[in-house]
Amino acid sequence: MKLSSDLNEFLLPYSDYNYSKNESGVYNEDTTTQFIYDQFKDYAIGHGCSAKWDGVKKKVETEYLPECETPDIDPIPRDKNKSAVTNQDGVFILPMFLENSQAQEFKWLSDFSDVTDNNVIEGLLTFVDSYGQWIENKKGNIKYQSEFKEIAHQELEKCEQDYQRMKENVETLLKGENNKDNLASFRLMNSAMFMQLWHSVKVKQNEVILMLENKDFNSFDFNFYKEADDKLFSQSESAGWRAFQLAFILLNLDGIFKPENDENWERRNEWVDLVWFPTGGGKTEAYLGLIALTIINRRKLHKEEGGGVASIMRYTLRLLTMQQFQRASLLIMALELIRRWNQYGLGNEPITIGLWVGDNSLPNKTEDLITEFEKLNNKQHNKIPFSNCPWCGGNIEGEDKEDSENLNNRKNQWYSKRVHLKCSNDKCSFSYPKRRARVRQNDQGAIPVCLSDEIIYQHPPTLLFGTVDKFAQLAHKVNGNENGRNKDSRRLFGNGNWEQSKPQNGYLPPDLIIQDELHLLLGPLGSAVALFESAVDQLCTREDGTRPKIISSTATTRNTQLQIAALFDRKVNLFPKPGVECDDSFFAFYRRSFKNPEKENDEYLSKRKYIGVLPTGRTQIWMQMRLAAIIMTHRAIFELQELQDKSPIDFDVYSNFEKAMDYYHTTISYFNSLKEVGKTQSQIQTYILKELRRVFNRVIRPQKLMHSLYTYGPIQESELTGRLSGEEVKNELKSVETKWNSINRFANIENDETVRGSVPPEFVVATNMISVGIDVSRFNTIIMNSMPRNTAEYIQASSRVARNDYGLVLIVHHPFRARDMSHYEKFIEFHEKMYSYVEPISITPFTKKSVERYMGLYLATMIRHTTRFTDRESARNISTISNEELSSIISELTEYFSDRKIRLSNFDKLINNLLKEENVTQIKQWIKEAFEEWKELEENLDDSTDLVFNRKKNGTNQARKQEQLYVDIEEYEGNIHSKKWQVPMSLRVIEPEAAIKINSI
Ligand SMILES: [Zn+2]
């Protein structure tokens, strides 16, 4: 159906919004979100179909395969008010807001440049002021002077606050004689950022190994980096910060350096700075910068006590951690190398990174780590998160035994009870396991990683890198014995029983916590984490009351205050502010090109196209199979054309073809549940192949070579879902990352042997596991089977494609699901304003149900970390403890929640309701009863039985019987003494599975 008219603008938008204030006299979030998308008007909604309209408002029509392209985000601030200029490709684009971006360059800002401190300050202030100027320009815009003045000014005022904060931070924390140390730390942080990036890029290009072979190469010392080229990505541009990354760091200086006028250090203790940026924007670099600055400042300021864990970086999904861990490792290696240069006062303790993950991704015990190292040395499959030296690309080797130096010897203490991982290239800075002064240069040592839980507890790493679920271990791994130090998680917070060689009072607790992907902490996991986070927050609080700085990132900007208050008990500052137009927040800009300098025919540039499909009269599975078959046939047509044009076959000459084949060879099929994965998986080799043959024969005339390649099968499949183990994930990821290679396409001869042709997986079934952090440039086609549960997930999953080049997202809508239909019927509107459709997240950690389920974990952690009940066997001591002491323990534990309630009363009603008076009463009652149940359990035991917290042992040759307090999640109902002490080993296993007990057959 089509409606058109010759009149000008005969169509009116159906959704013209009326922006009005709420009862408190401000424009609320829903209204301002609508406002920034005001430029997109919508003219139709389909019914049982979709709709589209043309730009000149003369035509609307129904559409069955609606499509929409989402604009690319340009991280460079550009000036909308100026005329367009031509870029190197001869295209008209908008000029950059800041002509000179020197102050964003790593090397220019670093210690390796000859730029004076004054110049650095000037550069930073100019950078910050350009944001101020942008705000002024927007305020001056005629549109925001009249009709929309109030709402625009309300939003721009928020930008203004960030601007003022950055400016003040530079002026009061970096500038001037008093702040010389701070500025030195800031510049050193940039040095580390430059070094890690240099190695990351050069190792990928295989240049570093060659450099080491050169006779003139001496070592990776200060002068090496001073000379090193910083044009890492293009000949004309020095590598540096994106504007939002540098701005975010400047914004957070007040959480790392204590401002003089902020006596209670409110900026650190009371605020979470939350970064929101479209996927692929580079949040990781911003985190890494803040981590480096925290580590440098802590070591310099607190000397020995500033050792131990300085920063915790936490992810919600395990897959992410491997890729991100490698990037963070490079930064830690840079900092460790700088420390070894011995000029900056970073102390004697190595700067290290520890990978603390669940799901058996890594061994818990050091002896098992040695087994993994042996596999690594023998080139077998292993769990080690690196395959090569991150610093030079050379081979790596693991030592086969634990270092046995005396831990109390000051000189060797850092090396003892570790197994070292080292680079096998003698010239590399990370090639020596430990001190062997004769052969080793001063700045050489092992790769500073801690890869088993035991090593992590024994030598708490400077950066603790882990998954949320692993933190449940805190309730289990506590040990006060001298020889149990490698089982004592209190050490991660600076507490515990320290060796003579370490500071007697231990270390300061961690200074910085980074929680990535906040929006994934929802539902039961969110509630579990929220309660548990209360324990982490208290354990990270210094004696003087200083709390850790918390940084987080999110994919949704809706209702974030509620989530932050529930999770972290703090206020939130979102960055960057969206401003007044969705296509220009200064820090993020919709990429666009023009036909001429006067900017006519404004057009957004896009790499990602979404196409909606609604199966009618056919099942969704059938539709999915057919789509896969069509995609594969298109691949065949493309390949056929290329081969015909360029015969005889000479692959070397057409690299563009190879890239195209590589980029569009693999199709991801995304599912919302594992059940659907199973259904499809069983049909890949039958139905998809059958469909492929059918479509192929219909559109391609019999062509023997293509026929044999495409329709004989089997289809190369792969899987990226939550049911794989950590090691399987690593292997699958490796196989999907393999490049399509024309040489291997056909059978070929290698070392005088004929090798069968091979291609990377072409059909990958996946679930939401791929939604975070996977960055594979080869992924450029995805079939989404129904809309995911929420819009954030849809954005994240579909953003896996078109990372580097054009990508296609096909959504097979479900005809019987209202949500799917609604998205299909307003397909264009939904995709134009996708981010505004992201649903707010709600978590309710303090409700009765949540408390009953997750409070046990919180309570167990607090008791074992902060009271005398440290050892596993000390559970029996509940009987010897005086009533007085017990009630003081209980009141301290419950006080926390009363205090928290008072803090929440500063917020509006909705947030205030997170923890109601009745919830506090319930929590108090619950804690009291938990202690009573514990006492009762103990009293009922006879003298020959011990009471332990966890891991009870009742072997045949056991002298004494053991009973345990914690309830294992899979324990039979009948064996449970106390429902209160359910303390899972992982936050992921929070829902017990149904247990069937068969009494007799
Ligand atoms: Zn190396």
Side-chain angles (χ1 to χ4, degrees):
M1 192 167 78
K2 201 181 283 180
L3 282 175
S4 63
S5 160
D6 293 336
L7 293 174
N8 273 341
E9 303 203 359
F10 94 108
L11 290 175
L12 291 175
Y14 74 84
S15 61
D16 227 2
Y17 214 86
N18 179 20
Y19 305 110
S20 51
K21 295 179 183 172
N22 65 11
E23 63 268 26
S24 339
V26 290
Y27 297 95
N28 65 20
E29 211 180 351
D30 286 340
T31 313
T32 58
T33 309
Q34 281 294 338
F35 175 64
I36 64 168
Y37 286 93
D38 190 63
Q39 68 191 89
F40 294 112
K41 306 282 187 202
D42 311 299
Y43 296 91
I45 304 179
H47 285 285
C49 63
S50 197
K52 66 176 183 184
W53 49 89
D54 68 354
V56 287
K57 304 174 188 172
K58 287 188 171 180
K59 195 169 66 184
V60 285
E61 58 186 297
T62 53
E63 173 62 62
Y64 287 91
L65 286 175
E67 53 178 69
C68 187
E69 296 185 4
T70 53
D72 284 356
I73 303 297
D74 188 350
I76 301 171
R78 296 190 182 271
D79 199 334
K80 262 184 168 180
N81 295 339
K82 292 201 176 133
S83 301
V85 293
T86 44
N87 70 1
Q88 66 263 37
D89 303 324
V91 178
F92 285 99
I93 56 165
L94 288 170
M96 288 195 277
F97 206 96
L98 194 62
E99 272 161 38
N100 179 350
S101 56
Q102 249 175 353
Q104 284 164 253
E105 294 167 12
F106 293 143
K107 196 170 174 185
W108 189 87
L109 289 167
S110 81
D111 241 23
F112 303 127
S113 79
D114 297 321
V115 176
T116 63
D117 284 0
N118 282 343
N119 287 345
V120 168
I121 295 293
E122 254 170 54
L124 291 175
L125 285 174
T126 312
F127 167 76
V128 171
D129 282 336
S130 65
Y131 186 43
Q133 186 58 51
W134 176 89
I135 298 169
E136 285 309 307
N137 289 1
K138 291 282 177 215
K139 279 186 182 166
N141 186 323
I142 191 87
K143 186 176 165 194
Y144 307 129
Q145 286 292 341
S146 49
E147 193 188 347
F148 300 113
K149 186 167 180 179
E150 278 192 73
I151 187 166
H153 281 239
Q154 176 189 308
E155 291 308 288
L156 289 167
E157 205 42 51
K158 294 177 188 165
C159 303
E160 179 77 23
Q161 281 169 12
D162 279 347
Y163 161 62
Q164 292 296 350
R165 181 173 161 203
M166 281 189 262
K167 195 174 164 80
E168 197 179 318
N169 282 352
V170 175
E171 279 172 346
T172 61
L173 295 170
L174 294 182
K175 192 177 163 181
E177 236 4 76
N178 292 345
N179 294 319
K180 251 185 143 30
D181 276 347
N182 290 357
L183 185 62
S185 300
F186 179 80
R187 296 192 70 171
L188 196 57
M189 175 270 284
N190 280 283
S191 306
M193 290 301 291
F194 170 60
M195 288 161 70
Q196 60 90 21
L197 189 67
W198 189 91
H199 282 274
S200 161
V201 172
K202 296 290 179 183
V203 164
K204 272 195 202 117
Q205 296 166 347
N206 270 333
E207 281 183 32
V208 188
I209 279 281
L210 296 176
M211 205 175 268
L212 293 179
E213 279 168 17
N214 191 323
K215 270 201 215 77
D216 298 335
F217 176 84
N218 185 25
S219 75
F220 292 117
D221 55 11
F222 182 88
N223 285 327
F224 178 87
Y225 297 104
K226 201 170 162 64
E227 298 301 319
D229 187 10
D230 70 344
K231 308 255 184 310
L232 292 171
F233 298 108
S234 85
Q235 275 311 305
S236 55
E237 238 177 281
S238 295
W241 300 104
R242 287 180 168 178
F244 90 94
Q245 296 166 342
L246 181 61
F248 191 61
I249 287 171
L250 296 178
L251 201 63
N252 277 293
L253 290 177
D254 53 20
I256 296 172
F257 305 123
K258 187 172 179 184
E260 257 173 38
N261 58 3
D262 188 0
E263 209 172 298
N264 298 324
W265 210 348
E266 198 192 325
R267 272 297 170 186
R268 167 159 163 159
N269 295 325
E270 303 295 335
W271 288 85
V272 169
D273 281 280
L274 182 62
V275 59
W276 176 82
F277 210 78
T279 43
K283 281 171 294 192
T284 308
E285 276 72 23
Y287 294 157
L288 294 180
L290 289 168
I291 290 171
L293 192 57
T294 300
I295 293 174
I296 294 166
N297 183 51
R298 175 178 164 114
R299 289 280 175 115
K300 287 194 342 193
L301 201 62
H302 302 292
K303 306 283 182 283
E304 259 199 318
E305 285 192 343
V309 179
S311 173
I312 296 175
M313 181 130 179
R314 222 164 22 181
Y315 290 94
T316 36
L317 295 172
R318 61 179 174 180
L319 192 59
L320 173 79
T321 36
M322 287 300 168
Q323 286 188 340
Q324 307 291 56
F325 176 73
Q326 291 164 353
R327 292 167 77 179
S329 296
L330 268 174
L331 173 77
I332 293 299
M333 289 167 91
L335 287 169
E336 167 63 1
L337 187 55
I338 293 174
R339 186 198 65 81
R340 290 177 195 164
W341 291 343
N342 225 350
Q343 307 167 16
Y344 296 98
L346 299 185
N348 295 321
E349 182 178 332
I351 293 175
T352 57
I353 179 168
L355 184 56
W356 203 43
V357 285
D359 287 328
N360 295 325
S361 293
L362 271 178
N364 295 334
K365 292 192 170 166
T366 300
E367 57 183 65
D368 298 327
L369 178 63
I370 292 174
T371 315
E372 293 302 319
F373 276 170
E374 281 165 354
K375 289 190 210 158
L376 171 80
N377 298 347
N378 295 328
K379 310 238 176 312
Q380 295 162 329
H381 271 312
N382 59 72
K383 294 179 176 171
I384 307 304
F386 310 100
S387 33
N388 291 89
C389 170
W391 209 244
C392 74
N395 290 330
I396 46 172
E397 294 165 31
E399 298 233 298
D400 55 8
K401 60 174 189 289
E402 203 174 63
D403 197 322
S404 58
E405 301 284 354
N406 182 354
L407 262 175
N408 288 326
N409 175 330
R410 288 192 78 82
K411 219 168 152 191
N412 290 316
Q413 56 168 320
W414 311 116
Y415 303 96
S416 183
K417 293 210 169 209
R418 274 181 198 273
V419 275
H420 301 285
L421 184 67
K422 60 166 191 162
C423 175
S424 60
N425 192 319
D426 285 356
K427 283 187 160 181
C428 178
S429 310
F430 296 96
S431 58
Y432 281 87
K434 52 177 187 156
R435 290 170 182 274
R436 279 188 213 133
R438 264 183 309 122
V439 284
R440 179 186 75 95
Q441 294 181 14
N442 278 332
D443 59 4
Q444 285 186 309
I447 298 177
V449 288
C450 307
L451 296 176
S452 77
D453 290 6
E454 289 184 347
I455 298 177
I456 286 173
Y457 299 135
Q458 184 83 45
H459 297 283
T462 320
L463 171 58
L464 181 68
F465 203 93
T467 44
V468 162
D469 52 331
K470 185 76 179 182
F471 279 76
Q473 293 287 323
L474 296 180
H476 294 268
K477 294 284 181 203
V478 181
N479 196 313
N481 295 328
E482 232 171 77
N483 51 10
R485 287 176 177 132
N486 60 1
K487 294 181 181 60
D488 191 2
S489 65
R490 291 179 303 162
R491 294 163 73 89
L492 303 177
F493 301 98
N495 301 321
N497 177 350
W498 293 98
E499 301 87 346
Q500 285 168 21
S501 51
K502 297 201 169 156
Q504 272 316 289
N505 296 328
Y507 296 113
L508 287 171
D511 281 302
L512 175 70
I513 296 179
I514 295 179
Q515 174 64 55
D516 199 43
E517 311 283 356
L518 187 77
H519 57 276
L520 296 179
L521 297 180
L522 76 173
L525 182 66
S527 296
V529 170
L531 259 186
F532 192 65
E533 194 56 42
S534 319
V536 175
D537 193 24
Q538 291 174 73
L539 297 177
C540 285
T541 301
R542 291 187 199 166
E543 270 169 24
D544 67 1
T546 309
R547 296 163 91 190
K549 176 71 202 175
I550 298 181
I551 306 282
S552 190
S553 74
T554 184
T556 159
T557 59
R558 309 293 296 279
N559 214 354
T560 48
Q561 180 59 72
L562 179 92
Q563 212 190 353
I564 293 289
L567 280 163
F568 299 115
D569 184 20
R570 284 162 169 83
K571 291 176 262 189
V572 66
N573 181 50
L574 185 74
F575 176 86
K577 303 286 185 290
V580 285
E581 292 145 15
C582 63
D583 63 354
D584 176 19
S585 75
F586 183 78
F587 297 104
F589 199 81
Y590 284 7
R591 233 181 264 274
R592 62 191 95 190
S593 74
F594 309 94
K595 300 270 171 4
N596 57 39
E598 269 60 61
K599 303 189 286 190
E600 281 167 35
N601 300 323
D602 188 339
E603 180 175 284
Y604 292 132
L605 297 178
S606 170
K607 283 211 219 81
R608 189 177 304 127
K609 179 182 263 189
Y610 290 81
I611 299 182
V613 183
L614 182 74
T616 41
R618 295 282 191 172
T619 65
Q620 220 192 358
I621 290 226
W622 179 88
M623 183 53 95
Q624 186 215 137
M625 309 269 166
R626 178 51 79 94
L627 281 175
I630 293 172
I631 292 167
M632 287 179 192
T633 310
H634 269 277
R635 237 172 40 191
I637 297 173
F638 175 74
E639 195 173 4
L640 185 63
Q641 280 168 347
E642 291 290 323
L643 291 179
Q644 275 175 344
D645 288 353
K646 300 199 169 82
S647 89
I649 299 170
D650 181 4
F651 287 120
D652 293 347
V653 295
Y654 40 101
S655 58
N656 269 344
F657 161 66
E658 200 155 78
K659 184 184 165 195
M661 284 307 291
D662 186 39
Y663 272 29
Y664 305 101
H665 175 80
T666 300
T667 302
I668 308 174
S669 191
Y670 178 94
F671 297 90
N672 295 311
S673 76
L674 282 171
K675 199 174 95 192
E676 294 169 58
V677 170
K679 260 197 236 164
T680 298
Q681 226 169 13
S682 61
Q683 307 194 4
I684 295 176
Q685 302 302 352
T686 52
Y687 282 97
I688 294 191
L689 203 55
K690 208 167 92 190
E691 278 300 319
L692 173 61
R693 285 186 193 130
R694 192 183 316 204
V695 179
F696 189 94
N697 286 330
R698 225 181 263 172
V699 296
I700 304 181
R701 272 178 297 139
Q703 210 286 349
K704 280 187 181 148
L705 177 62
M706 283 299 117
H707 208 283
S708 70
L709 287 175
Y710 281 93
T711 66
Y712 286 173
I715 291 172
Q716 306 296 318
E717 37 176 326
S718 171
E719 175 178 346
L720 287 170
T721 68
R723 64 182 177 190
L724 305 186
S725 75
E727 200 177 343
E728 285 169 327
V729 169
K730 198 180 145 194
N731 294 336
E732 291 289 315
L733 206 52
K734 211 169 167 181
S735 91
V736 297
E737 278 174 342
T738 315
K739 269 191 170 339
W740 189 95
N741 179 318
S742 52
I743 312 272
N744 297 336
R745 177 80 169 116
F746 305 107
N748 54 88
I749 292 175
E750 210 172 85
N751 300 330
D752 289 337
E753 266 181 56
T754 309
V755 188
R756 272 179 68 105
S758 70
V759 288
E762 49 199 323
F763 196 76
V764 183
V765 293
T767 57
N768 63 3
M769 189 187 202
I770 64 158
S771 307
V772 187
I774 289 202
D775 198 350
V776 181
S777 58
R778 294 195 55 252
F779 287 165
N780 290 297
T781 316
I782 186 168
I783 302 174
M784 308 274 304
N785 299 289
S786 304
M787 289 298 293
R789 272 170 291 256
N790 57 56
T791 307
E793 174 59 22
Y794 179 64
I795 296 175
Q796 297 266 315
S798 59
S799 302
R800 289 316 105 194
V801 306
R803 311 289 286 184
N804 296 336
D805 222 310
Y806 297 100
L808 182 65
V809 184
L810 295 157
I811 312 117
V812 184
H813 292 96
H814 198 296
F816 302 128
R817 282 187 199 150
R819 213 176 104 77
D820 266 78
M821 280 308 284
S822 149
H823 286 305
Y824 174 72
E825 289 173 346
K826 42 184 188 181
F827 194 85
I828 294 178
E829 179 185 350
F830 171 68
H831 284 87
E832 275 174 343
K833 305 178 184 173
M834 204 150 60
Y835 283 100
S836 75
Y837 275 91
V838 172
E839 300 86 356
I841 284 165
S842 100
I843 36 176
T844 50
F846 305 113
T847 56
K848 199 168 174 209
K849 202 171 151 213
S850 301
V851 166
E852 271 167 12
R853 191 158 291 169
Y854 313 121
M855 193 55 120
L857 183 61
Y858 167 82
L859 194 59
T861 307
M862 287 307 289
I863 287 171
R864 301 202 56 195
H865 278 253
T866 62
T867 71
R868 295 196 281 132
F869 296 101
T870 44
D871 295 329
R872 195 171 69 89
E873 296 81 9
S874 65
R876 183 113 217 196
N877 298 350
I878 189 76
S879 61
T880 56
I881 200 164
S882 73
N883 281 341
E884 224 172 6
E885 192 180 346
L886 190 60
S887 57
S888 110
I889 290 176
I890 294 177
S891 78
E892 210 161 290
L893 285 165
T894 52
E895 244 4 70
Y896 170 80
F897 292 94
S898 310
D899 290 350
R900 188 151 175 182
K901 165 130 192 61
I902 296 170
R903 286 195 290 273
L904 277 174
S905 62
N906 299 326
F907 294 102
D908 67 32
K909 201 167 160 228
L910 191 72
I911 296 166
N912 205 341
N913 275 346
L914 273 172
L915 186 55
K916 296 186 202 129
E917 197 56 58
E918 60 188 80
N919 302 133
V920 177
T921 318
Q922 277 158 4
I923 291 173
K924 287 186 174 173
Q925 185 63 23
W926 193 97
I927 292 179
K928 230 177 100 206
E929 281 169 17
F931 276 95
E932 278 161 15
E933 283 185 16
W934 179 3
K935 253 187 133 156
E936 203 178 308
L937 171 65
E938 197 277 340
E939 279 161 9
N940 289 334
L941 291 183
D942 55 38
D943 287 346
S944 65
T945 310
D946 288 334
L947 181 64
V948 296
F949 279 104
N950 55 356
R951 291 183 292 118
K952 72 171 171 193
K953 295 175 197 143
N954 280 327
T956 40
N957 48 9
Q958 194 86 17
R960 293 174 64 80
K961 277 208 308 203
Q962 292 193 341
E963 207 47 72
Q964 83 176 39
L965 180 64
Y966 295 176
V967 182
D968 287 332
I969 198 106
E970 63 270 10
E971 192 60 80
Y972 296 129
E973 187 77 21
N975 295 352
I976 295 177
H977 305 292
S978 152
K979 279 206 152 181
K980 296 229 157 25
W981 293 92
Q982 296 188 31
V983 188
M985 291 290 281
S986 154
L987 281 181
R988 205 167 291 275
V989 236
I990 37 188
E991 297 283 347
E993 287 169 7
I996 297 176
K997 190 178 175 188
I998 299 170
N999 288 323
S1000 64
I1001 297 175

